[in-house]
Every structure is written in structure tokens, then in C-alpha cells.
Amino acid sequence: MLFDNHGRKIDYVRLAVTDRCNLRCFYCMPEQGINYLPKKDLLTFEEIERLITLLASMGISKVRFTGGEPFVRKDFMDLVFRIGKIEGVREMHLTTNGVLTAPYVQDLKAAGIQSINLSVDTLDRERFKMITRRDEFDHVMKTMDSLLEHDFKVKINAVVMEDKNIEDILPLVEYTKSHPVSVRFIEEMPFNGEGSHYPKLTWTYKKILEHILTAYPNLRKLQDEPSSTSYNYTIEGHQGNIGVIAAFSRTFCGTCNRIRITAQGTLKTCLYDRGVLNIRDLLRSNPSDLPLRHALLDAFRQRPKNGFEAELTRAGAGVSESMSTIGG
Ligand code: SAM
């Protein structure tokens, strides 16, 4: 088992398979997009397989595929099947925007994906178009229906944005009445490729909860899983449930069990750090895994205590890169 310098178990890797995306969500990317990486800078499937095999031998048992939009990367499903065969990988999950996902739902099942996080910030077609700057709502909802038909565990990620989708909070809660999904409302972070949208975040997890309580006073707290990033609640008579994620307030760092690998193979031991190890270069310059194993262990031993401490390592540079580059 792997532990960091604060005694936290590390058993979960979030792997960005690309930095490219087919949406331009207001909270994630500027309208004109970001400078995408040239292909040679991305980890190849062979490199990813080698890396995950190493991480699994060290104690990482859970893998989440994310990006960018995973399905924008050519032959993405081949990678999922390959990772699913690695000894020690016991859980695989996916975060997707659902635009290109529907035709692959059966394959995702066959490959062993256990749950899917689908990004849906609104159930209103027009506002979806405004937030994502693309007219893809119907494709996303088709994916949602197909995932539920195939009995996938589905979590909806909804980023809460002042002046953009506040009116969508309650309809999304209501959606859980007739759909067995978990809707998670996420505090907006400044990871949008252009810097903070507000002088101060207004829609904190507390405010989101208070807002939901006005319409659903019978909200009941659920027992959260040990490394959960969300505070979860149930509503009587609803098939699904809801959660709030204090992504900006960072209340969950004390139990953080995750690391991130960006599309270009940079290790992040905290979402808010600047990237702490160039894994790609170590993979490319060493036929043996030993130097990489030592470098990874070193990085895990120097993990910041929380996202605030990690942010300080940016030396005042602030948080502004896109989540698409980081791997959401
Ligand atoms: N393309 C996939 C998708 O849309 O789900 C995966 C990548 S996306 C970057 C993953 C998640 O990051 C999204 O569900 C969104 O909730 C979250 N995200 C992106 N930018 C964010 C921001 N600035 N603040 C909070 N969450 C953000």
C-alpha cells in the first residue's frame, strides 16, 4: 500500500488521456480554446500501459479516465480494454461530457468500467448551448439514457456558476426523483484557462446547500465514503441522490487518496500544485522502471498537506490553467 507524508493512503489515479475537448465550457476553457499539445507530447498508449502497470504494482487500484474529452482521442476504447487487463487494477471509472459516448456504452460495460461521471450543468437546451458554446445537448442526453438503460452507476457533474445556471440547481435536484443518478454540484474553480471569473466565490458549497434546502427541507445526510469529495444527501421518494463538492473551499484534502497524470505525463499530487514530476521524460529515457518508481515515491513523500499549501508553491502565479489540460 502507498501512503503519503501525511499518512494518507494513495490508491486512485485520474488519468487525462488528452487535453483536447469538443466543448468550450465557460468554467473550463476560453471560447477560442487553449493551445493544445502536439501529439508527440502526449503519453502514448504503450507509455500509459507501462505507467499504470507500475502504479498498480505500487498500490494504485483505481483508475479514472478523463481529459479533455476522452472520446476525442483516437481509439480511446482500445486503451480502456488494455488498462482493464492490468493486474492490480480493480476499478475503472470514466468522466465524459457524453457528446460522443453513446455508441460506446456497451463497450464500456464489456471493458469493465464501473461508473460514469457525466458533465451536465443544466437540463435546459438553450442554457446548455450558452454554457458549453456548442449545441450538443441531445447527444449528451442520449448518452445519459443509454447509460441508465445499461445499468451504469451515473453521477452528474454540475458546476455551479453565478449568473449562468443558478436556475438549474433545483431542476437538477428534481431530476433525481425519476432518475437513479447522483447529481453533484461543484463549486466553480478558476481552472478555466483565463483566470478567476470573480473577485470572490459566492456560490460556495454552503450556499448551494442552503439554496436546495429552501425547496427540499427534508434533505437527509448520507454517510459519505471515506475518501469522498462530496457531501451527500438523499431526499425521500427520490430514486437518486445529490451531493455538493467543495472544490474551491477544499474541505476534503485531509482524506485525499488521489493523484493525477496530465495528458503530457506530468504528475500532480494535488489538483492545486503546478505539476511535480515529468513522468513522460523518465519513461522515455529509462528502459527500466526503477528510476521512475523512486521518483514517484519521492513525490508522494513531499505531498502538500492541502490545496492551499499546494497553491502556495505557485509562487503567486495563481490558478488559471484549464481543467482540460490538468485532467478534470
Ligand atoms: N470532458 C470530460 C467532461 O466534460 O466530463 C472530462 C474532463 S472535464 C475537465 C471533467 C470535469 O471537470 C467536469 O465535469 C467539470 O465538472 C470539471 N471542471 C472543469 N473545469 C472546472 C472548474 N473551473 N471548476 C470546477 N469544475 C470544473
Side-chain angles (χ1 to χ4, degrees):
M1 279 206 266
L2 269 178
F3 289 92
D4 71 9
N5 44 323
H6 303 285
R8 294 171 294 201
K9 189 161 112 178
I10 304 176
D11 59 3
Y12 176 17
V13 62
R14 296 171 78 105
L15 178 76
V17 300
T18 176
D19 60 338
R20 288 169 196 256
C21 193
N22 44 0
L23 297 182
R24 290 287 176 277
C25 300
F26 167 79
Y27 50 82
C28 189
M29 251 197 226
E31 188 157 12
Q32 71 276 14
I34 51 172
N35 289 330
Y36 287 136
L37 295 165
K39 190 161 180 242
K40 67 172 179 37
D41 287 357
L42 295 180
L43 289 184
T44 64
F45 284 0
E46 287 68 31
E47 287 165 345
I48 292 175
E49 201 175 354
R50 181 176 158 201
L51 172 61
I52 301 295
T53 305
L54 173 63
L55 288 171
S57 77
M58 294 170 75
I60 301 261
S61 56
K62 175 173 169 181
V63 178
R64 172 174 301 279
F65 299 97
T66 180
E69 170 51 35
F71 282 99
V72 166
R73 180 141 181 192
K74 191 165 168 280
D75 300 327
F76 165 61
M77 278 313 304
D78 291 352
L79 178 70
V80 180
F81 277 102
R82 282 162 81 156
I83 301 300
K85 294 199 179 91
I86 294 174
E87 200 185 319
V89 172
R90 286 196 280 277
E91 283 184 43
M92 291 196 299
H93 305 267
L94 168 71
T95 303
T96 173
N97 61 29
V99 173
L100 301 171
T101 317
Y104 298 100
V105 169
Q106 273 178 342
D107 287 348
L108 289 169
K109 243 293 113 102
I113 291 280
Q114 273 146 317
S115 80
I116 315 261
N117 287 8
L118 194 61
S119 299
V120 185
D121 308 297
T122 172
L123 294 170
D124 179 278
R125 203 171 190 284
E126 279 310 305
R127 269 199 300 284
F128 182 92
K129 198 167 145 190
M130 184 263 294
I131 291 168
T132 64
R133 298 160 173 142
R134 298 288 185 272
D135 193 6
E136 298 285 6
F137 183 72
D138 293 345
H139 286 127
V140 176
M141 294 317 277
K142 197 170 164 204
T143 294
M144 175 96 79
D145 292 343
S146 181
L147 289 172
L148 293 176
E149 268 165 32
H150 287 84
D151 290 325
F152 268 106
K153 199 174 153 206
V154 178
K155 291 180 184 171
I156 295 180
N157 284 351
V159 178
V160 176
M161 292 157 282
E162 201 175 332
D163 298 332
K164 289 266 183 293
N165 66 342
I166 301 307
E167 58 272 66
D168 294 299
I169 297 176
L170 298 181
L172 278 163
V173 176
E174 193 58 22
Y175 189 76
T176 65
K177 190 168 188 176
S178 47
H179 296 83
V181 297
S182 174
V183 175
R184 290 122 46 89
F185 297 98
I186 307 175
E187 285 180 352
E188 184 181 352
M189 299 179 283
F191 292 110
N192 53 39
E194 54 191 356
S196 196
H197 285 142
Y198 324 100
K200 189 170 182 284
L201 184 79
T202 315
W203 281 87
T204 62
Y205 73 102
K206 284 189 184 150
K207 184 160 172 173
I208 299 168
L209 255 185
E210 280 163 16
H211 180 67
I212 296 171
L213 272 167
T214 57
Y216 298 91
N218 54 347
L219 215 57
R220 194 167 51 80
K221 184 84 191 67
L222 287 169
Q223 175 83 41
D224 299 324
E225 282 173 21
S227 293
S228 173
T229 52
S230 52
Y231 300 117
N232 299 294
Y233 298 82
T234 175
I235 301 168
E236 211 184 311
H238 285 222
Q239 294 183 42
N241 54 47
I242 65 148
V244 283
I245 302 186
F248 187 69
S249 304
R250 288 162 255 185
T251 54
F252 44 71
C253 302
T255 55
C256 181
N257 64 339
R258 64 199 59 199
I259 55 169
R260 286 180 153 81
I261 314 283
T262 71
Q264 61 186 321
T266 301
L267 171 72
K268 286 170 75 75
T269 58
C270 171
L271 174 57
Y272 284 83
D273 71 32
R274 306 183 69 144
V276 295
L277 180 68
N278 184 335
I279 292 177
R280 187 193 61 209
D281 285 0
L282 280 167
L283 281 169
R284 290 187 184 171
S285 57
N286 291 287
S288 146
D289 287 339
L290 208 59
L292 177 55
R293 176 185 282 264
H294 286 309
L296 287 166
L297 287 173
D298 263 0
F300 299 155
R301 281 190 212 111
Q302 295 174 48
R303 208 164 168 232
K305 193 167 166 209
N306 55 43
F308 296 101
E309 197 176 295
E311 200 176 344
L312 288 178
T313 62
R314 291 169 174 265
V319 169
S320 65
E321 64 266 43
S322 163
M323 273 298 257
S324 206
T325 312
I326 297 174

Short mmCIF file of all heavy atoms in Angstrom, two decimals, residues 21 27-28 66-70 95-97 117-119 157 159 186-192 247 323-324 327-328, ligand 1:
data_model
loop_
_atom_site.label_atom_id
_atom_site.label_comp_id
_atom_site.label_asym_id
_atom_site.label_seq_id
_atom_site.Cartn_x
_atom_site.Cartn_y
_atom_site.Cartn_z
N CYS A 21 -10.78 18.94 -26.26
CA CYS A 21 -12.20 18.77 -25.92
C CYS A 21 -13.06 19.30 -27.06
O CYS A 21 -12.66 20.21 -27.79
CB CYS A 21 -12.53 19.49 -24.62
SG CYS A 21 -14.16 19.00 -23.99
N TYR A 27 -16.70 27.46 -17.68
CA TYR A 27 -15.88 27.33 -16.47
C TYR A 27 -14.55 26.61 -16.71
O TYR A 27 -13.72 26.51 -15.82
CB TYR A 27 -16.66 26.56 -15.38
CG TYR A 27 -17.27 25.26 -15.88
CD1 TYR A 27 -16.51 24.11 -15.97
CD2 TYR A 27 -18.60 25.22 -16.27
CE1 TYR A 27 -17.06 22.93 -16.45
CE2 TYR A 27 -19.16 24.05 -16.75
CZ TYR A 27 -18.39 22.91 -16.83
OH TYR A 27 -18.94 21.76 -17.31
N CYS A 28 -14.36 26.10 -17.93
CA CYS A 28 -13.19 25.24 -18.17
C CYS A 28 -12.23 25.78 -19.23
O CYS A 28 -11.02 25.58 -19.12
CB CYS A 28 -13.69 23.86 -18.58
SG CYS A 28 -12.41 22.61 -18.69
N THR A 66 -10.05 10.49 -17.87
CA THR A 66 -10.67 11.79 -18.02
C THR A 66 -9.88 12.58 -19.06
O THR A 66 -9.15 12.02 -19.87
CB THR A 66 -10.78 12.51 -16.65
OG1 THR A 66 -11.39 13.78 -16.82
CG2 THR A 66 -9.44 12.67 -15.95
N GLY A 67 -10.01 13.88 -19.06
CA GLY A 67 -9.27 14.69 -20.03
C GLY A 67 -9.47 16.15 -19.72
O GLY A 67 -9.72 16.49 -18.56
N GLY A 68 -9.55 16.91 -20.74
CA GLY A 68 -10.03 16.80 -22.09
C GLY A 68 -11.21 15.81 -22.17
O GLY A 68 -11.68 15.31 -21.18
N GLU A 69 -11.67 15.62 -23.36
CA GLU A 69 -12.74 14.64 -23.53
C GLU A 69 -12.11 13.33 -24.01
O GLU A 69 -11.57 13.27 -25.12
CB GLU A 69 -13.78 15.17 -24.53
CG GLU A 69 -14.82 14.14 -24.95
CD GLU A 69 -15.49 13.42 -23.77
OE1 GLU A 69 -15.71 14.04 -22.72
OE2 GLU A 69 -15.77 12.22 -23.91
N PRO A 70 -12.18 12.28 -23.18
CA PRO A 70 -11.52 11.01 -23.54
C PRO A 70 -11.86 10.53 -24.95
O PRO A 70 -10.98 10.04 -25.67
CB PRO A 70 -12.01 10.04 -22.48
CG PRO A 70 -12.32 10.90 -21.30
CD PRO A 70 -12.79 12.22 -21.84
N THR A 95 -14.87 9.86 -16.75
CA THR A 95 -15.55 11.15 -16.76
C THR A 95 -15.63 11.61 -18.21
O THR A 95 -14.61 11.67 -18.89
CB THR A 95 -14.78 12.20 -15.91
OG1 THR A 95 -14.64 11.70 -14.58
CG2 THR A 95 -15.54 13.51 -15.84
N THR A 96 -16.82 11.92 -18.65
CA THR A 96 -17.03 12.25 -20.07
C THR A 96 -18.12 13.33 -20.18
O THR A 96 -18.99 13.44 -19.32
CB THR A 96 -17.44 11.01 -20.88
OG1 THR A 96 -17.79 11.39 -22.21
CG2 THR A 96 -18.63 10.28 -20.27
N ASN A 97 -18.05 14.07 -21.27
CA ASN A 97 -19.13 15.04 -21.50
C ASN A 97 -20.31 14.42 -22.24
O ASN A 97 -21.35 15.05 -22.43
CB ASN A 97 -18.63 16.30 -22.21
CG ASN A 97 -18.05 16.02 -23.60
OD1 ASN A 97 -18.45 15.08 -24.28
ND2 ASN A 97 -17.12 16.86 -24.02
N ASN A 117 -19.05 9.46 -14.71
CA ASN A 117 -19.42 10.83 -14.36
C ASN A 117 -19.70 11.57 -15.66
O ASN A 117 -18.84 11.62 -16.54
CB ASN A 117 -18.28 11.55 -13.64
CG ASN A 117 -18.09 11.04 -12.22
OD1 ASN A 117 -18.71 10.06 -11.83
ND2 ASN A 117 -17.23 11.69 -11.47
N LEU A 118 -20.91 12.10 -15.74
CA LEU A 118 -21.32 12.80 -16.95
C LEU A 118 -21.48 14.28 -16.60
O LEU A 118 -22.14 14.61 -15.61
CB LEU A 118 -22.66 12.20 -17.39
CG LEU A 118 -23.17 12.49 -18.78
CD1 LEU A 118 -22.22 11.97 -19.85
CD2 LEU A 118 -24.56 11.84 -18.96
N SER A 119 -20.88 15.15 -17.41
CA SER A 119 -20.97 16.58 -17.11
C SER A 119 -22.25 17.16 -17.71
O SER A 119 -22.39 17.19 -18.93
CB SER A 119 -19.76 17.31 -17.69
OG SER A 119 -18.59 16.81 -17.11
N ASN A 157 -22.05 15.63 -13.04
CA ASN A 157 -21.25 16.75 -12.52
C ASN A 157 -21.88 18.05 -13.01
O ASN A 157 -22.00 18.26 -14.22
CB ASN A 157 -19.82 16.70 -13.09
CG ASN A 157 -18.97 15.64 -12.42
OD1 ASN A 157 -19.37 15.05 -11.42
ND2 ASN A 157 -17.80 15.40 -12.97
N VAL A 159 -21.30 22.07 -12.52
CA VAL A 159 -20.55 23.18 -11.92
C VAL A 159 -21.53 24.34 -11.72
O VAL A 159 -22.28 24.69 -12.63
CB VAL A 159 -19.38 23.62 -12.83
CG1 VAL A 159 -18.63 24.80 -12.22
CG2 VAL A 159 -18.42 22.45 -13.06
N ILE A 186 -20.83 21.26 -8.06
CA ILE A 186 -19.41 21.53 -7.82
C ILE A 186 -19.15 23.03 -7.74
O ILE A 186 -19.62 23.79 -8.61
CB ILE A 186 -18.56 20.93 -8.96
CG1 ILE A 186 -18.89 19.44 -9.15
CG2 ILE A 186 -17.07 21.12 -8.71
CD1 ILE A 186 -18.17 18.81 -10.34
N GLU A 187 -18.43 23.44 -6.74
CA GLU A 187 -18.01 24.85 -6.68
C GLU A 187 -17.13 25.16 -7.87
O GLU A 187 -16.24 24.36 -8.21
CB GLU A 187 -17.16 25.10 -5.42
CG GLU A 187 -17.92 25.16 -4.13
CD GLU A 187 -16.97 25.41 -2.94
OE1 GLU A 187 -15.74 25.37 -3.12
OE2 GLU A 187 -17.49 25.61 -1.84
N GLU A 188 -17.35 26.30 -8.48
CA GLU A 188 -16.51 26.67 -9.63
C GLU A 188 -15.11 27.06 -9.17
O GLU A 188 -14.93 27.86 -8.25
CB GLU A 188 -17.17 27.84 -10.39
CG GLU A 188 -16.40 28.20 -11.64
CD GLU A 188 -17.01 29.38 -12.41
OE1 GLU A 188 -18.11 29.84 -12.06
OE2 GLU A 188 -16.37 29.84 -13.36
N MET A 189 -14.12 26.48 -9.82
CA MET A 189 -12.72 26.82 -9.52
C MET A 189 -12.19 27.70 -10.66
O MET A 189 -12.74 27.72 -11.75
CB MET A 189 -11.88 25.54 -9.43
CG MET A 189 -12.32 24.60 -8.34
SD MET A 189 -11.32 23.10 -8.28
CE MET A 189 -11.98 22.17 -9.65
N PRO A 190 -11.07 28.41 -10.43
CA PRO A 190 -10.54 29.29 -11.50
C PRO A 190 -9.75 28.54 -12.58
O PRO A 190 -9.02 29.17 -13.34
CB PRO A 190 -9.64 30.27 -10.74
CG PRO A 190 -9.73 29.91 -9.30
CD PRO A 190 -10.34 28.57 -9.18
N PHE A 191 -9.89 27.21 -12.65
CA PHE A 191 -9.18 26.44 -13.67
C PHE A 191 -9.93 26.53 -15.01
O PHE A 191 -10.62 25.59 -15.42
CB PHE A 191 -9.06 24.97 -13.26
CG PHE A 191 -8.16 24.73 -12.09
CD1 PHE A 191 -8.68 24.34 -10.87
CD2 PHE A 191 -6.79 24.88 -12.22
CE1 PHE A 191 -7.85 24.10 -9.79
CE2 PHE A 191 -5.95 24.65 -11.14
CZ PHE A 191 -6.47 24.26 -9.92
N ASN A 192 -9.81 27.66 -15.67
CA ASN A 192 -10.62 27.86 -16.88
C ASN A 192 -9.80 28.39 -18.05
O ASN A 192 -10.34 28.83 -19.05
CB ASN A 192 -11.78 28.83 -16.58
CG ASN A 192 -11.27 30.11 -15.96
OD1 ASN A 192 -10.22 30.60 -16.37
ND2 ASN A 192 -11.98 30.64 -14.99
N ALA A 247 -14.98 22.09 -4.10
CA ALA A 247 -13.74 22.01 -4.89
C ALA A 247 -12.85 23.24 -4.68
O ALA A 247 -11.63 23.13 -4.72
CB ALA A 247 -14.10 21.89 -6.37
N MET A 323 -8.94 23.05 -16.82
CA MET A 323 -9.10 21.69 -16.28
C MET A 323 -8.87 20.66 -17.37
O MET A 323 -8.55 19.49 -17.10
CB MET A 323 -10.51 21.50 -15.73
CG MET A 323 -10.68 21.92 -14.29
SD MET A 323 -9.66 21.00 -13.14
CE MET A 323 -10.84 19.92 -12.46
N SER A 324 -9.02 21.07 -18.61
CA SER A 324 -8.83 20.17 -19.73
C SER A 324 -7.35 19.79 -19.86
O SER A 324 -7.01 18.68 -20.27
CB SER A 324 -9.31 20.87 -21.00
OG SER A 324 -9.70 19.95 -21.97
N GLY A 327 -6.70 17.60 -16.44
CA GLY A 327 -7.41 16.33 -16.27
C GLY A 327 -8.40 16.51 -15.15
O GLY A 327 -8.03 16.52 -13.97
N GLY A 328 -9.67 16.69 -15.51
CA GLY A 328 -10.69 17.03 -14.50
C GLY A 328 -11.10 15.86 -13.66
O GLY A 328 -10.75 14.74 -13.95
N1 SAM B 1 -14.58 16.10 -20.90
C1 SAM B 1 -14.96 15.40 -19.73
C2 SAM B 1 -16.17 16.03 -19.11
O1 SAM B 1 -16.62 17.06 -19.56
O2 SAM B 1 -16.67 15.46 -18.15
C3 SAM B 1 -13.85 15.22 -18.71
C4 SAM B 1 -12.98 16.38 -18.41
S1 SAM B 1 -13.75 17.73 -17.57
C5 SAM B 1 -12.38 18.79 -17.36
C6 SAM B 1 -14.08 16.99 -16.02
C7 SAM B 1 -14.85 17.78 -15.03
O3 SAM B 1 -14.07 18.89 -14.64
C8 SAM B 1 -16.16 18.36 -15.48
O4 SAM B 1 -17.20 17.52 -15.13
C9 SAM B 1 -16.30 19.60 -14.66
O5 SAM B 1 -17.21 19.34 -13.66
C10 SAM B 1 -14.97 19.79 -14.02
N2 SAM B 1 -14.46 21.14 -14.18
C11 SAM B 1 -13.83 21.66 -15.25
N3 SAM B 1 -13.49 22.94 -15.02
C12 SAM B 1 -13.91 23.22 -13.79
C13 SAM B 1 -13.85 24.39 -12.98
N4 SAM B 1 -13.29 25.50 -13.41
N5 SAM B 1 -14.39 24.33 -11.75
C14 SAM B 1 -14.97 23.18 -11.30
N6 SAM B 1 -15.04 22.06 -12.01
C15 SAM B 1 -14.53 22.08 -13.24
#
